[in-house]
Amino acid sequence: MTVRKVAVEEEMFLVDPGTRQLVASSHRAVEQAPGDEVEQELFLQQVETQSDPHHALGDVIADLKEARRGAAKAADGAGARLAAMPTPVMPDDEGRLTPKRRYEQMMARFGRVGREALACGMHVHVDIADDEEGVAVLDRIRPWLPLVQAVSTGSPFDLGIDTSYASWRAEIWDSWPSAGPVEPFGDAAGYEKAVEAIVASGAALDHGMLYFDARLARDYPTVEIRVADICTDLADTALVAALSRGLVETCAEAWHARTPLTPWRVDLLRAARWQARRHGVSASLLHPLDGALVPAADALGALVDAIGPALERAGDRELVEDGIARVLAEGTGADRQRAAAGPDLDLRAVVDDVLESTAASHRD
């Protein structure tokens, strides 16, 4: 069988190296970058880069390294440094909106929800055959996504506050009315009907504002998984991408085999997501098969078992097993930030560690 291609989008912040606060200079950074390698995002304190789609995850990571290198150079030209972190760690002002008509319309409709959406995520695109297969994947992948979120958590601090969460970015993002888990759609027609209803309701400006945990991409034949924090360490990025591809392949196989859909209530999915973002992998998670609260290692073990054949075919089994073992032993990005902060909660040290780790991630 052909291994599905994967691509990754990364959102990152621009940081003042002196104050460690965010810098609203993406317009200047984009001018420094050749072509369209670095793009603007919702706020002037953010930039976005992406990989090309590849079969081999090593090629995806190589693209991301090169993209980070280019973005870091562009940031430097704008008097800032590139930070692969999901939330602003230091106390800061509100985000400064990128002056584009669509963003201005978003702010006008959603008010403070939009103004407080100063956060950076990572989106993983995985190939699908067509929309019917894609919707079948969306319907089946729902209880597994909290585990993907758990291994990516990296935002315990926000605007100078210790949130007590492993992923505060996820909490911020859930403020959008179109964000979060969804009911099963049944088929492509059901998906399109639901999408049109959400847009017609006013809860989304357009199809691009469907912030589901996973959705069909509008411009590519992919399922787009949107639950992960931006990961400072590209080893964590590779783990998230491998898990995402394994889940898409496994869910598609289940649909082709006519395996019945396991019912999950949306309220239980929300509980599973809350456990993941509250604790990362340091406590309990909901088991993806029966919803029981179990140690994180058990829930992640069930994930690896479920997608094991797909991982084998893609050549990702060792990467995933080593990655899961690493985050269980060493913690996620959130744990690293807490270690950098120390008992005195030195947030400047947290930003310094993120800046150095981001720079290290794209060095040759």
Side-chain angles (χ1 to χ4, degrees):
M1 292 183 62
T2 301
V3 175
R4 296 174 190 266
K5 288 184 178 179
V6 180
V8 173
E9 299 172 326
E10 293 192 310
E11 299 164 348
M12 289 172 281
F13 282 125
L14 301 173
V15 172
D16 185 301
T19 66
R20 279 77 160 183
Q21 293 178 316
L22 304 188
V23 180
S25 58
S26 66
H27 53 301
R28 293 194 293 272
V30 167
E31 292 174 355
Q32 303 289 325
D36 57 356
E37 293 179 4
V38 180
E39 299 178 0
Q40 289 186 285
E41 250 294 337
L42 180 60
F43 295 105
L44 286 170
Q45 292 99 326
Q46 297 172 293
V47 293
E48 182 179 70
T49 63
Q50 61 187 13
S51 77
D52 288 331
H54 295 287
H55 293 294
L57 288 182
D59 293 335
V60 174
I61 298 304
D63 276 6
L64 294 177
K65 288 181 68 173
E66 184 63 30
R68 287 188 178 194
R69 188 177 299 118
K73 184 176 180 180
D76 184 66
R81 291 189 66 187
L82 186 70
M85 64 184 184
T87 49
V89 171
M90 299 290 290
D92 212 330
D93 296 329
E94 287 186 341
R96 286 184 55 189
L97 189 70
T98 300
K100 294 184 178 181
R101 176 168 173 75
R102 182 169 180 273
Y103 295 156
E104 291 166 353
Q105 290 175 324
M106 289 169 63
M107 293 303 110
R109 180 174 298 185
F110 298 100
R112 191 163 183 84
V113 167
R115 291 193 297 274
E116 292 188 345
L118 191 59
C120 292
M122 176 180 80
H123 307 151
V124 182
H125 289 260
V126 183
D127 275 352
I128 51 173
D130 52 35
D131 285 355
E132 292 295 346
E133 183 182 71
V135 171
V137 169
L138 297 181
D139 287 353
R140 286 162 174 78
I141 204 170
R142 301 180 308 144
W144 303 93
L145 292 180
L147 305 182
V148 178
Q149 185 175 79
V151 301
S152 80
T153 51
S155 47
F157 305 113
D158 182 60
L159 298 174
I161 297 171
D162 182 346
T163 69
S164 81
Y165 277 69
S167 176
W168 191 247
R169 179 209 63 85
E171 290 293 313
I172 292 171
W173 205 249
D174 261 12
S175 297
W176 293 107
S178 61
V182 293
E183 293 290 331
F185 300 105
D187 54 27
Y191 180 86
E192 194 60 31
K193 183 178 179 180
V195 165
E196 293 298 337
I198 291 169
V199 173
S201 77
L205 194 68
D206 50 35
H207 288 201
M209 275 199 71
L210 297 173
Y211 296 148
F212 305 155
D213 288 349
R215 68 183 185 184
L216 298 183
R218 299 299 297 182
D219 299 325
Y220 310 101
T222 65
V223 162
E224 181 184 0
I225 295 172
R226 303 172 52 85
V227 297
D229 284 4
I230 176 66
C231 296
T232 310
D233 189 340
L234 285 172
D236 293 336
T237 305
L239 174 59
V240 170
L243 291 173
S244 299
R245 174 162 63 185
L247 281 169
V248 170
E249 174 67 13
T250 301
C251 291
E253 284 182 345
W255 175 65
H256 286 293
R258 301 182 182 275
T259 303
L261 181 66
T262 302
W264 270 69
R265 291 172 56 95
V266 167
D267 48 5
L268 189 59
L269 290 174
R270 290 192 175 278
R273 295 159 78 251
W274 180 82
Q275 285 286 351
R277 63 185 57 172
R278 177 67 175 85
H279 302 292
V281 301
S282 66
S284 297
L285 296 169
L286 267 66
H287 197 287
L289 296 179
D290 62 14
L293 194 60
V294 299
D298 292 351
L300 292 170
L303 169 59
V304 175
D305 288 345
I307 66 176
L311 296 176
E312 291 281 358
R313 290 193 296 273
D316 295 338
R317 180 91 189 215
E318 184 178 0
L319 183 157
V320 166
E321 289 182 342
D322 289 350
I324 294 293
R326 174 174 52 80
V327 297
L328 286 172
E330 302 175 6
T332 65
D335 298 299
R336 176 163 181 161
Q337 284 197 19
R338 290 196 179 282
D344 296 330
L345 206 65
D346 186 348
L347 297 184
R348 290 173 67 92
V350 174
V351 178
D352 287 344
D353 184 69
V354 169
L355 291 174
E356 175 53 34
S357 297
T358 303
S361 73
H362 57 75
R363 290 192 187 116
D364 291 327

